[in-house]
Amino acid sequence: PVPPCYWVDPEGDTLPFPALIYGFAQGVTRPTNLPSSQVTGIGLNYGPEFRPVLGQQFLEQMGQFHRAGEELAPKLPSFDPAERGSNASIIRQVNWWRRVWEEDREQDDPMMEVAYNWLIRNAPPLDHVSLVHGDCRGGNFLFTENDLKITAWLDWELAVLGDRHQDLAWSMMDPYRHTSEDGTKQLISGFFPVDEYLETYERLSGLTVDPKRLAYHRVLCSYLSVAI
C-alpha cells in the first residue's frame, strides 16, 4: 500500500521543481501514546500489543515488493537495471555512495576507504532481482491504530532494483532496534528477535535469506549510513 499518486511533474515544467502530488493516507507512524519528541524509527517501540500484528504485515509486504522486482523492471525504464547473476547493480550503488562521500565529506576517514575497497572486491552477484525500498524500517509506514492495518509505505526516494538483503540489512541496523520488555532480546525494527525476524520473512516472502549476502549488505548499509 502506498498513497495514491495523482500527478507527476518530473522535469519541473509546471511547479518550480520536479515534484509529484499524491493523496492523503490515513494513519500514524508510531503509537500515539509515545512521546512526541522521539525521532521516528529510532528505537521505536510498538509495544507488545501492536508488535506481532504490524511485524507480520511489515515482513509480508516487504516480501511482496522483493518478489516483484523482475516483473516490475521492464515497467521502470528510469531505474538503473539489475540482472540476476551480475554484481554490477551493487557496484553501481557502492560507487554512487562513494561519490556522495567524496563530494560532501569535511575530512578524510581512512576506514571509509578500507570499507569501499572491501565492498568492491566482495560484491556478490544477484540471485534474484528485487525492488529495494532503500529505507526499509519501522517508522517508514503508516498504520491505523483501531485495526492495526498498514495503510501506506513511505519514503521511496532511495528505491533501486537490486538485492533484497539490502532492505533486510538496513532494517537490522542498531538504531532501529530496541531491547524487549524482559531485557533478554534485541527486537529488529521494533518487531521480532533476529532469528524469528528472518524466519518470518522467509516464510511470508517465499525468498531465502543468504547469511553471506546479508553480512555483505550490513557492511554496505553501514558505509552508506556514514556517507549520509
Side-chain angles (χ1 to χ4, degrees):
V2 293
C5 187
Y6 295 129
W7 194 60
V8 180
D9 182 11
E11 304 298 333
D13 294 330
T14 303
L15 296 170
F17 301 98
L20 57 81
I21 294 175
Y22 60 95
F24 186 82
Q26 297 285 344
V28 295
T29 57
R30 60 189 180 192
T32 52
N33 62 357
L34 291 180
S36 59
S37 59
Q38 180 175 342
V39 177
T40 301
I42 305 298
L44 178 55
N45 189 337
Y46 293 103
E49 178 186 357
F50 289 8
R51 184 179 301 142
V53 181
L54 292 176
Q56 290 272 332
Q57 290 178 75
F58 177 82
L59 291 171
E60 180 179 16
Q61 292 172 17
M62 187 199 303
Q64 287 176 5
F65 56 77
H66 285 172
R67 285 196 309 271
E70 291 181 341
E71 175 188 349
L72 289 172
K75 304 175 185 179
L76 299 171
S78 297
F79 277 53
D80 288 322
E83 295 181 8
R84 191 189 299 224
S86 170
N87 64 5
S89 61
I90 297 175
I91 289 176
R92 185 189 305 117
Q93 272 217 81
V94 175
N95 283 328
W96 193 91
W97 287 106
R98 166 66 172 257
R99 181 173 177 175
V100 170
W101 171 251
E102 290 296 332
E103 290 183 352
D104 291 347
R105 64 182 170 85
E106 296 181 351
Q107 61 186 21
D108 288 332
D109 186 332
M111 284 303 297
M112 288 294 279
E113 190 70 17
V114 171
Y116 170 78
N117 290 329
W118 185 90
L119 287 164
I120 293 296
R121 286 197 311 270
N122 292 280
L126 296 184
D127 64 339
H128 174 86
V129 177
S130 291
L131 178 62
V132 176
H133 181 281
D135 193 7
C136 194
R137 56 177 174 80
N140 253 357
F141 60 84
L142 298 177
F143 67 95
T144 44
E145 292 183 281
N146 63 313
D147 57 5
L148 297 183
K149 297 291 186 184
I150 293 178
T151 58
W153 282 65
L154 310 174
D155 292 355
W156 290 85
E157 66 272 13
L158 294 176
V160 296
L161 293 170
D163 192 318
R164 64 193 179 279
H165 294 87
Q166 180 179 340
D167 274 341
L168 287 168
W170 185 259
S171 70
M172 295 171 69
M173 296 280 283
D174 287 349
Y176 308 133
R177 59 174 72 186
H178 67 82
T179 305
S180 61
E181 284 74 15
D182 62 7
T184 62
K185 305 178 185 69
Q186 287 288 301
L187 303 180
I188 303 302
S189 273
F191 296 127
F192 306 119
V194 60
D195 289 344
E196 183 181 354
Y197 185 83
L198 296 176
E199 289 167 3
T200 303
Y201 170 83
E202 287 189 317
R203 175 171 55 82
L204 295 176
S205 71
L207 299 167
T208 58
V209 176
D210 182 330
K212 289 186 67 175
R213 286 188 170 89
L214 183 61
Y216 174 89
H217 281 88
R218 295 197 71 182
V219 177
L220 173 60
C221 288
S222 295
Y223 180 81
L224 68 86
S225 69
V226 172
I228 291 170

